[in-house]
Structures are given as structure tokens and as C-alpha cells.
């Protein structure tokens, strides 16, 4: 059993330090790569090259194979100030519903 907490999308400009902005930037790039990987899986076009597209892809790639169970939990913040990020998360969750491991 492998659990991965993606911690949601992070807004670079809200981080007060250069290190915080850098961490948020890396997390956002990994989430974008994972989103592309999930779309490739959904379309049945997942290849070995998709593994190298981001840190999360390298960690999760072997679990996106036949016989491996996948459960994704998407969490959103109900506050109005996070509406844009929540809508983005819900859109990714909706698209993920149709993913079937091939």
C-alpha cells in the first residue's frame, strides 16, 4: 500500500520566502506532469517516456499498471478565497473518474 499526499496546488506568490516559492513551483510542475500522465492513461497512450516527466510520475508510474488498485482522493477548501484552486481540483477529479488502468 502506497499513500501519496499531493498537498493540493500551491500558489507561488503567496509564499513569503524564496524557498517557499521554489517549493510551490516544483509542486505545481509535478502536479501538471501528473495531470498529463493521467490523461495519457485515460487515452490508453501511457508509455515509459511518461515516467520521466516529473517526480510524482516516477513515484506513481509502477502503480498505474494492470492489477494495481488506484484510489484517488481529491480535497478542496470551501472558502471563497480558494475558489479558483478548488475548481481546478474538481475538474481534475472529474476527468480522473473515467481513467481505467490498461
Amino acid at each position: 500500500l502506497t499513500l501519496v499526499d499531493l498537498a493540493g496546488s500551491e500558489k507561488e506568490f503567496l509564499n513569503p520566502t524564496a524557498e517557499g516559492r521554489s517549493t510551490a513551483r516544483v509542486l505545481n510542475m509535478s502536479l501538471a506532469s501528473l495531470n498529463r500522465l493521467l490523461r495519457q492513461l485515460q487515452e490508453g497512450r501511457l508509455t515509459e517516456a511518461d515516467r520521466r516527466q516529473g517526480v510524482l510520475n516516477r513515484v506513481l508510474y509502477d502503480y498505474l499498471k494492470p492489477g494495481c488498485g488506484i484510489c484517488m482522493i481529491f480535497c478542496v477548501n470551501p472558502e471563497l478565497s480558494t475558489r479558483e484552486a478548488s475548481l481546478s481540483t474538481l475538474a481534475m477529479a472529474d476527468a480522473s473518474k473515467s481513467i481505467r488502468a490498461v
Side-chain angles (χ1 to χ4, degrees):
L1 175 62
T2 300
L3 301 175
V4 179
D5 180 4
L6 300 180
S9 62
E10 305 291 336
K11 292 188 177 182
E12 296 171 32
F13 61 88
L14 291 180
N15 285 284
T17 66
E19 182 180 352
R21 287 188 294 278
S22 176
T23 300
R25 190 174 304 114
V26 169
L27 177 58
N28 283 336
M29 290 182 341
S30 286
L31 287 171
S33 294
L34 179 61
N35 192 9
R36 284 190 298 276
L37 180 131
L38 292 175
R39 288 179 194 218
Q40 292 289 88
L41 176 64
Q42 181 177 0
E43 295 167 1
R45 298 185 297 137
L46 190 63
T47 67
E48 181 67 27
D50 295 312
R51 175 194 297 259
R52 298 184 298 273
Q53 299 302 315
V55 174
L56 291 174
N57 292 13
R58 284 190 288 277
V59 171
L60 298 175
Y61 186 85
D62 291 331
Y63 298 99
L64 301 174
K65 298 291 182 183
C68 294
I70 302 169
C71 179
M72 295 189 290
I73 301 170
F74 294 84
C75 300
V76 296
N77 186 331
E79 292 183 25
L80 189 56
S81 62
T82 63
R83 182 176 188 270
E84 191 175 316
S86 294
L87 288 174
S88 175
T89 299
L90 290 172
M92 185 174 179
D94 186 55
S96 297
K97 288 191 304 187
S98 62
I99 294 173
R100 301 287 180 259
V102 292

